[in-house]
Amino acid sequence: MSSDTVNPSSPVSSPVSSLVGSPVTAVVSAPSPLHTLLKLQQKKKSGMSSTLVETVSINYEDFNDSFLTCGTCLCQYDSGEHTPKLLTCSHTVCKNCLIRIAESQVRDTGTFRCPICRETITIPRGGVTALPPSFIVNQLLDLMASQRRDVIPKCSNHSNQELLFCESCDTVFCTLCTGGTHNGRGALEHTVIPFSIAIKRMSEILLYKAHLCIHNLNNACEIVSDEMTKLDSNVDKTMEAIDRTFQDLINTVDKRRHDVLQMCRKLREDKKKCLKEQLDLIQAEKSKVQNECEGLQYQVEVRNITKKIGDLNEKLDALSLLSEPRENAFLRFEFKHNTALQGIITGLNSFGRIRISTTYPALSFAQIRSAVTHLRSTVHVSTVDYHGNPRTTGGDPIVVELRNERNELIPVKVTDCDDGTYKICYTPLAGGKHTLNINIFDRPIKESPFIINISQHNNPIYKLGTRGSNGLNFIQPVNVVTDSDDNIYVLDTGNSRIKILNAELTFQHHITDTGLEHQSGTGITMTPTGNLLVVNWRTKHITEISRNGEQIQRFTSAEFVEPINVAVSSRGEIIVADNGIGKLLVFTPNGRLISKIGIKGDKPGQFKLISSMAVTVRDEIIVADNRLQVFTRDGKYIKQIISESNNTKGQYGGVTVDQSGAVLATRTEKGRSFVQVFGSDGKHAFNIDSNDDKLKRPSGLSCLSDGHVIVVDLGNDCVKKYRYK
């Protein structure tokens, strides 16, 4: 063996041992020693280092004599007469020896002396047999009985030299044949173990893998058998459904047959009634004639006879009509008068189907997208068959479960797109890890269950601008409005212009006008005709501009002191907020003053520092100062929209209403800014916090048609786009 220094504390490490967990580190040879694996220190020779794992020999016979043999009678312990018994002095002696010793030493003391250490042992009440067994010796006996005795492979050239095995390059070698070194290939460091250990390890790996394969095959057998059982059950249910459905169809046909028979009977009764009435009339006329004829044979007056003859002639003429039946006996069943029969045949030929699916759940997959609280999120599931080909039809029984960290179910809606894909929609109300289970045929799809990390922070999707005057930048943007085509018009006050963007915040062009001069444009809105209205607080003018930049009209009012915002009702009335007088002024579309709303103050219906206005689909007016107050179209105070914080020390910057009636407003309080979202019922739903791109003095905002909102971030000289649905 090699003369490398032995390091008993070093663990054995090899690719083989790592496959089977804790490797068996001892084999018993007959008559070779019991081997315990130890790891040798590494040594480097000729630029190559190898780790030699060697064994320390413990002779089998020595081990058997020292631990498994009674020291008194020299017989090997067993489970019979030589059962090992543990004495209180911790020595082990077989039961047969203890019985003999006890019988020879016991007098009246009830004790005997240990034959090994001579310590006095008290005999228990049940005698020597009641002494406890030596569990350690019994375990060693069981271990030795279960150990396989392997023959240590030897070198054919050196009969006393054990063969070694290099795990790194799969080479068997003899240290004497290689000159005491192992010149392996490839790796710089090699792990070398006795070949006998390598054989044992590989055998154990083989058995482990075989057992694992058998276990997996058993599981597969159970799964397939269960599927066959489910198939039989589904066939039974399907056949029951077929029988039930066709019985309903038969019942429908029977009902129609009964209705037609009833119709036939009714027609017969109607015809018979008419004919019977005619028969009754004929019988009545017959009786009259008979009654009149009874006395004619006794008539002698010619004049009376002549008259009677005339009457009978007239009656004969009338009776000719009674001889023709007023109703006929024609009655016939027809079924070829229309296309109903062909429709029934065609319908029956296509009535019902047996639907199957070739979907293979283990290969079907889902596309998981990031999710944010309070926003509707979607998961798309695509199904494929066993060969990985996409499915083109739907109808699979897909079962979806979404649970939060508290294991509570989150409502989901599954939509079958009928093209092999499915859409799962849900709206999380809390952040954190959520678990999504997607099963088809009660089997999970690929990678299910999925972990979805739902964020509580709603950050902008797009952002445009920094401080500047070029096409992409802003100087003090204060307000924004959008049209029906989702074009965006940003009032870029510091640059005295309107910047027009598309829905992706891509710059289109600028509008400049005298209504925007002196860097004083503060309010902008859209008229029902699609023009822009701008209020200039410095010049005190309201200017109407087309979307092409052409000025339509311009007016002012002697009432204006500090006009700062403008809105338009569905009737075209122009509503101007004036902070100088603390009122709303309502004008006709051509600029004639109609009415005034409110006064300065902090009571309901009064205004402090107005920042923005919006008009709802019902022409109600929402006014933002440090509150959100709602007025009728005629200026009557209705209510205040209450947020969750109800902090009156904050200030609203802008307010808007989307097509569904939801209200959105920007707000700043306690050094933080956010967007509040209220439902169409006026209840506060959630906030857009923009946590990773914080808002700074947000002012105006306007909604797009696809559930996004454009927010003007005055403090950062930019506009941002957020999802709010």
Side-chain angles (χ1 to χ4, degrees):
M1 301 298 285
S2 174
S3 61
D4 292 334
T5 304
V6 177
N7 184 0
S9 63
S10 299
V12 177
S13 175
S14 70
V16 177
S17 64
S18 64
L19 292 175
V20 294
S22 300
V24 177
T25 59
V27 295
V28 178
S29 63
S32 299
L34 180 70
H35 292 83
T36 302
L37 294 182
L38 297 173
K39 186 177 180 181
L40 298 181
Q41 294 179 343
Q42 296 179 353
K43 66 176 182 178
K44 295 184 179 180
K45 289 186 179 181
S46 304
M48 180 71 66
S49 65
S50 63
T51 302
L52 182 60
V53 179
E54 202 170 337
T55 60
V56 174
S57 299
I58 301 176
N59 188 273
Y60 178 82
E61 286 76 10
D62 292 341
F63 182 81
N64 190 55
D65 292 342
S66 300
F67 297 99
L68 306 180
T69 303
C70 176
T72 304
C73 64
L74 302 180
C75 294
Q76 188 172 359
Y77 294 124
D78 57 24
S79 58
E81 293 182 353
H82 300 289
T83 300
K85 292 291 185 177
L86 182 63
L87 303 181
T88 55
C89 61
S90 299
H91 289 113
T92 302
V93 182
C94 72
K95 182 178 71 173
N96 189 44
C97 289
L98 290 177
I99 293 174
R100 180 175 50 80
I101 293 171
E103 289 176 352
S104 64
Q105 292 190 14
V106 173
R107 297 294 182 266
D108 296 328
T109 60
T111 62
F112 66 89
R113 291 186 180 276
C114 172
I116 299 173
C117 66
R118 309 305 296 170
E119 183 177 333
T120 300
I121 307 299
T122 301
I123 299 176
R125 179 173 298 178
V128 171
T129 56
L131 287 169
S134 178
F135 294 104
I136 294 179
V137 174
N138 284 331
Q139 287 178 343
L140 288 174
L141 286 171
D142 293 339
L143 177 63
M144 294 304 294
S146 65
Q147 286 297 314
R148 185 185 68 189
R149 298 189 176 186
D150 295 333
V151 177
I152 303 300
K154 303 291 184 180
C155 177
S156 59
N157 296 327
H158 307 91
S159 58
N160 294 326
Q161 187 64 34
E162 181 180 353
L163 291 176
L164 301 177
F165 176 74
C166 178
E167 291 184 332
S168 303
C169 53
D170 292 333
T171 301
V172 180
F173 64 95
C174 169
T175 54
L176 295 181
C177 293
T178 58
T181 61
H182 166 56
N183 297 319
R185 305 182 304 275
L188 294 177
E189 297 183 358
H190 295 254
T191 301
V192 178
I193 61 174
F195 187 42
S196 59
I197 304 301
I199 293 175
K200 184 174 180 65
R201 286 185 182 178
M202 286 186 281
S203 299
E204 290 169 350
I205 293 172
L206 178 63
L207 290 174
Y208 171 78
K209 293 296 183 182
H211 287 310
L212 187 60
C213 288
I214 291 173
H215 175 74
N216 291 341
L217 288 172
N218 287 336
N219 287 340
C221 183
E222 291 179 4
I223 292 172
V224 175
S225 298
D226 289 343
E227 198 67 21
M228 291 180 65
T229 302
K230 291 179 182 178
L231 175 61
D232 291 337
S233 176
N234 285 337
V235 167
D236 292 340
K237 293 178 181 178
T238 302
M239 294 179 69
E240 289 177 3
I242 292 172
D243 289 339
R244 185 169 58 252
T245 302
F246 275 90
Q247 187 59 50
D248 292 341
L249 190 61
I250 292 171
N251 293 338
T252 302
V253 173
D254 282 344
K255 184 178 183 302
R256 179 58 182 168
R257 180 178 65 85
H258 180 268
D259 292 343
V260 174
L261 289 174
Q262 286 295 102
M263 187 186 304
C264 182
R265 294 187 184 98
K266 185 178 184 304
L267 291 173
R268 180 188 65 182
E269 295 300 322
D270 291 343
K271 284 179 174 287
K272 286 183 69 175
K273 180 180 179 182
C274 182
L275 292 173
K276 189 175 183 303
E277 289 175 352
Q278 188 174 359
L279 282 174
D280 292 341
L281 182 60
I282 292 173
Q283 193 65 35
E285 292 296 327
K286 179 180 176 181
S287 298
K288 285 182 180 181
V289 172
Q290 287 177 345
N291 291 333
E292 291 177 354
C293 290
E294 285 178 355
L296 290 178
Q297 56 183 337
Y298 303 109
Q299 289 287 338
V300 293
E301 289 289 335
V302 175
R303 198 182 313 171
N304 291 336
I305 294 173
T306 304
K307 183 178 182 303
K308 291 290 184 182
I309 292 171
D311 292 340
L312 289 174
N313 285 333
E314 292 178 1
K315 190 176 290 292
L316 285 173
D317 293 338
L319 289 177
S320 63
L321 295 176
L322 292 177
S323 64
E324 182 70 23
R326 296 178 181 178
E327 186 56 84
N328 57 66
F330 180 79
L331 195 69
R332 183 172 64 192
F333 174 63
E334 293 181 349
F335 56 89
K336 295 183 179 180
H337 62 289
N338 56 24
T339 60
L341 176 62
Q342 186 60 41
I344 292 173
I345 295 172
T346 303
L348 282 176
N349 289 335
S350 60
F351 179 76
R353 65 175 179 177
I354 307 298
R355 188 164 195 166
I356 63 171
S357 174
T358 59
T359 295
Y360 194 66
L363 295 180
S364 301
F365 58 93
Q367 295 176 327
I368 309 295
R369 298 177 179 174
S370 59
V372 179
T373 54
H374 305 289
L375 300 185
R376 186 170 62 90
S377 299
T378 304
V379 174
H380 292 278
V381 177
S382 300
T383 58
V384 299
D385 61 17
Y386 178 77
H387 303 287
N389 300 317
R391 297 265 289 119
T392 57
T393 58
D396 291 330
I398 179 170
V399 178
V400 180
E401 270 194 2
L402 179 65
R403 294 183 179 272
N404 59 20
E405 292 177 328
R406 297 186 296 276
N407 204 35
E408 298 170 337
L409 275 173
I410 306 300
V412 298
K413 179 182 178 182
V414 181
T415 302
D416 187 349
C417 301
D418 204 27
D419 59 358
T421 65
Y422 302 84
K423 186 168 65 173
I424 302 170
C425 297
Y426 64 97
T427 302
L429 299 180
K433 287 185 178 180
H434 286 56
T435 304
L436 178 66
N437 286 278
I438 305 176
N439 289 352
I440 301 177
F441 312 135
D442 296 327
R443 302 201 301 272
I445 68 171
K446 186 178 181 181
E447 298 182 359
S448 179
F450 303 92
I451 301 298
I452 305 178
N453 290 311
I454 297 176
S455 175
Q456 294 180 333
H457 304 303
N458 191 344
N459 293 305
I461 299 174
Y462 296 113
K463 174 182 175 181
L464 176 69
T466 56
R467 187 170 181 80
S469 58
N470 62 23
L472 300 179
N473 294 331
F474 301 91
I475 297 178
Q476 292 184 337
V478 296
N479 221 321
V480 62
V481 69
T482 55
D483 62 18
S484 58
D485 297 323
D486 284 344
N487 293 309
I488 303 166
Y489 303 84
V490 183
L491 187 56
D492 189 5
T493 301
N495 287 309
S496 298
R497 65 192 181 188
I498 297 173
K499 188 186 296 293
I500 303 177
L501 313 170
N502 64 15
E504 284 72 38
L505 302 191
T506 302
F507 171 70
Q508 304 297 303
H509 60 89
H510 287 129
I511 292 177
T512 56
D513 187 85
T514 54
L516 304 167
E517 61 188 355
H518 305 310
Q519 300 177 336
S520 303
T522 53
I524 186 172
T525 191
M526 187 78 65
T527 68
T529 58
N531 293 326
L532 299 169
L533 272 181
V534 180
V535 58
N536 190 306
W537 72 270
R538 201 182 296 271
T539 64
K540 300 180 178 59
H541 276 83
I542 307 298
T543 306
E544 184 175 356
I545 308 170
S546 72
R547 282 180 282 184
N548 295 325
E550 179 184 356
Q551 188 176 112
I552 306 298
Q553 68 166 331
R554 190 181 188 195
F555 71 88
T556 186
S557 172
E559 297 284 341
F560 286 159
V561 176
E562 189 183 335
I564 53 93
N565 212 303
V566 63
V568 179
S569 70
S570 63
R571 297 177 293 186
E573 295 172 341
I574 301 171
I575 307 164
V576 180
D578 192 310
N579 268 332
I581 58 177
K583 295 181 180 180
L584 304 183
L585 304 177
V586 183
F587 297 87
T588 62
N590 58 7
R592 181 174 61 84
L593 182 64
I594 302 174
S595 62
K596 304 175 185 180
I597 300 173
I599 58 173
K600 276 191 175 183
D602 55 6
K603 294 180 180 179
Q606 299 178 350
F607 307 121
K608 294 187 73 175
L609 188 64
I610 302 174
S611 57
S612 184
M613 291 183 305
V615 178
T616 70
V617 292
R618 296 189 297 271
D619 275 345
E620 294 174 344
I621 306 168
I622 302 176
V623 183
D625 50 12
N626 63 329
R627 302 156 294 174
L628 292 177
Q629 299 185 88
V630 185
F631 297 81
T632 66
R633 63 194 302 173
D634 299 322
K636 182 180 178 181
Y637 174 77
I638 301 176
K639 64 179 179 179
Q640 177 180 340
I641 299 177
I642 305 297
S643 67
E644 62 177 7
S645 64
N646 198 24
N647 185 355
T648 58
K649 294 183 179 179
Q651 179 69 28
Y652 283 101
V655 63
T656 189
V657 182
D658 72 1
Q659 296 173 348
S660 67
V663 178
L664 288 82
T666 62
R667 185 171 177 83
T668 299
E669 61 181 40
K670 295 182 179 179
R672 64 188 185 100
S673 298
F674 48 90
V675 179
Q676 290 181 336
V677 181
F678 301 87
S680 57
D681 57 359
K683 293 182 179 179
H684 181 253
F686 61 94
N687 292 336
I688 299 175
D689 61 357
S690 191
N691 183 72
D692 297 333
D693 194 348
K694 294 186 182 300
L695 293 165
K696 185 179 179 182
R697 292 173 58 203
S699 50
L701 73 171
S702 186
C703 295
L704 301 177
S705 61
D706 59 354
H708 291 81
V709 60
I710 305 299
V711 180
V712 174
D713 194 354
L714 173 60
N716 290 310
D717 288 307
C718 67
V719 293
K720 297 174 180 177
K721 180 179 179 180
Y722 298 88
R723 263 192 69 198
Y724 71 95
K725 284 187 176 179

